[in-house]
């Protein structure tokens, strides 16, 4: 394990940079935005996402390499859960790209991005309430939290319950939007994650 907060954060930064470089070779986000804006008025979003969803296996490789680069920063317990996070990534890409992108096309068509922007403050508050230790330290010191204060990358009972609390808060916040689809899709996404992690065997608190 990388010793010292500075060295650990440097390793995390390098891994994150490599991940973003890997993803941007697959997806030119400026071009994607232009394609979305052009396709949306014609109801052809599914065509755009069909093209990009065919690259999801390459995107999974980017994420797998990212987790490998993070290993020196992880505890033995976290390393033992690394495969869970890899599976989550694969499952999420599968969920988003269901029927070659129908889910994400529906999300955008039903004003999902606008809904997120409208409820942004409430969504941030959901994360603040779910992970107060991290966010309270950032507010108090205006600095990046220490490694000891970051949530552990494990999926135990506490983490599963935190995820459920976050799910309830996020979905309730998105339900305040005009369209119900963004909230429904996020709820389905959270449930999808739960079913692809050890949380599926943890008693629900909802």
């Amino acid at each position: 394990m990388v010793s010292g907060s500075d060295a650990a954060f440097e390793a995390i930064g390098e891994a994150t940079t490599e991940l973003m470089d890997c993803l941007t070779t697959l997806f030119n986000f400026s071009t994607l935005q232009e394609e979305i804006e052009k396709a949306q008025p014609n109801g052809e979003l599914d065509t755009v996402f069909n093209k990009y969803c065919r690259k999801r296996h390459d995107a999974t490789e980017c994420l797998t390499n990212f987790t490998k680069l993070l290993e020196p920063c992880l505890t033995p317990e976290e390393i033992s859960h690394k495969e869970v996070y890899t599976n989550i990534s694969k499952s999420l890409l599968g969920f988003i790209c269901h029927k070659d992108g129908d889910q994400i096309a529906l999300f955008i068509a039903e004003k999902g991005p606008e809904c997120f922007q409208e409820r942004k403050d409430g969504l941030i508050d959901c994360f603040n309430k779910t992970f107060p230790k991290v966010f309270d330290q950032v507010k108090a010191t205006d600095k990046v939290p220490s490694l000891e204060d970051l949530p552990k990358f494990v999926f135990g009972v506490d983490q599963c319950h935190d995820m459920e609390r976050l799910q309830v808060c996020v979905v309730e916040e998105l339900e305040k939007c005009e369209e119900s689809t963004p909230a429904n899709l996020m709820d389905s996404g959270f449930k999808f994650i739960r079913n692809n992690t050890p949380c599926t065997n943890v008693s629900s608190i909802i």
Side-chain angles (χ1 to χ4, degrees), residues 17 31 34 60 67-69 77 86 110 120 134 137 150 160 169 172 177 182 189 194 199:
T17 298
T31 301
E34 291 173 4
T60 299
T67 59
K68 287 179 181 177
L69 290 171
E77 182 185 16
T86 302
E110 295 294 323
K120 179 179 66 176
V134 176
Q137 187 189 36
L150 289 174
C160 292
C169 187
E172 285 182 351
C177 293
R194 178 180 175 82
C199 294

Side-chain angles (χ1 to χ4, degrees), residues 139-204:
K139 289 177 183 176
T141 65
D142 198 29
K143 293 180 180 178
V144 176
S146 66
L147 291 178
E148 291 75 18
D149 287 318
L150 289 174
K152 280 192 173 182
F153 291 101
V154 297
F155 261 91
V157 173
D158 289 344
Q159 288 76 21
C160 292
H161 288 168
D162 280 345
M163 186 170 68
E164 281 196 282
R165 293 186 187 97
L166 183 62
Q167 173 185 352
V168 170
C169 187
V170 167
V171 172
E172 285 182 351
E173 192 63 35
L174 295 179
E175 284 176 341
K176 297 174 184 176
C177 293
E178 180 182 355
E179 300 290 342
S180 61
T181 301
N184 292 337
L185 284 175
M186 284 301 296
D187 192 43
S188 296
F190 273 108
K191 290 175 180 176
F192 200 78
I193 292 174
R194 178 180 175 82
N195 290 335
N196 285 276
T197 67
C199 294
T200 192
N201 299 315
V202 175
S203 297
S204 173

Side-chain angles (χ1 to χ4, degrees), residues 8-166:
F9 276 118
E10 184 178 345
I12 293 171
E14 290 175 356
T16 303
T17 298
E18 186 160 327
L19 171 64
M20 294 310 298
D21 288 345
C22 184
L23 290 175
T24 51
T25 61
L26 298 174
F27 311 105
N28 184 315
F29 294 102
S30 297
T31 301
L32 174 58
Q33 183 63 36
E34 291 173 4
E35 291 178 1
I36 290 172
E37 291 173 358
K38 183 178 179 180
Q40 191 165 5
N42 303 319
E44 297 176 350
L45 284 171
D46 55 338
T47 303
V48 175
F49 291 111
N50 183 302
K51 178 176 70 174
Y52 285 99
C53 278
R54 287 199 293 268
K55 300 180 181 182
R56 65 181 180 272
H57 299 298
D58 293 324
T60 299
E61 284 301 310
C62 294
L63 294 166
T64 299
N65 290 335
F66 173 67
T67 59
K68 287 179 181 177
L69 290 171
L70 281 186
E71 268 198 31
C73 304
L74 305 179
T75 65
E77 182 185 16
E78 289 173 320
I79 290 173
S80 71
H81 285 254
K82 188 183 70 169
E83 188 174 344
V84 174
Y85 283 92
T86 302
N87 289 339
I88 289 173
S89 301
K90 291 178 180 178
S91 298
L92 272 178
L93 286 171
F95 176 77
I96 291 170
C97 287
H98 179 63
K99 293 184 179 178
D100 290 325
D102 276 5
Q103 299 275 37
I104 188 66
L106 179 63
F107 177 78
I108 291 176
E110 295 294 323
K111 300 182 179 179
E114 292 88 344
C115 176
F116 267 71
Q117 184 61 35
E118 177 188 331
R119 308 310 310 174
K120 179 179 66 176
D121 291 342
L123 294 173
I124 291 173
D125 192 48
C126 287
F127 282 89
N128 287 343
K129 289 188 293 188
T130 307
F131 308 107
K133 189 175 182 181
V134 176
F135 290 97
D136 286 349
Q137 187 189 36
V138 172
K139 289 177 183 176
T141 65
D142 198 29
K143 293 180 180 178
V144 176
S146 66
L147 291 178
E148 291 75 18
D149 287 318
L150 289 174
K152 280 192 173 182
F153 291 101
V154 297
F155 261 91
V157 173
D158 289 344
Q159 288 76 21
C160 292
H161 288 168
D162 280 345
M163 186 170 68
E164 281 196 282
R165 293 186 187 97
L166 183 62

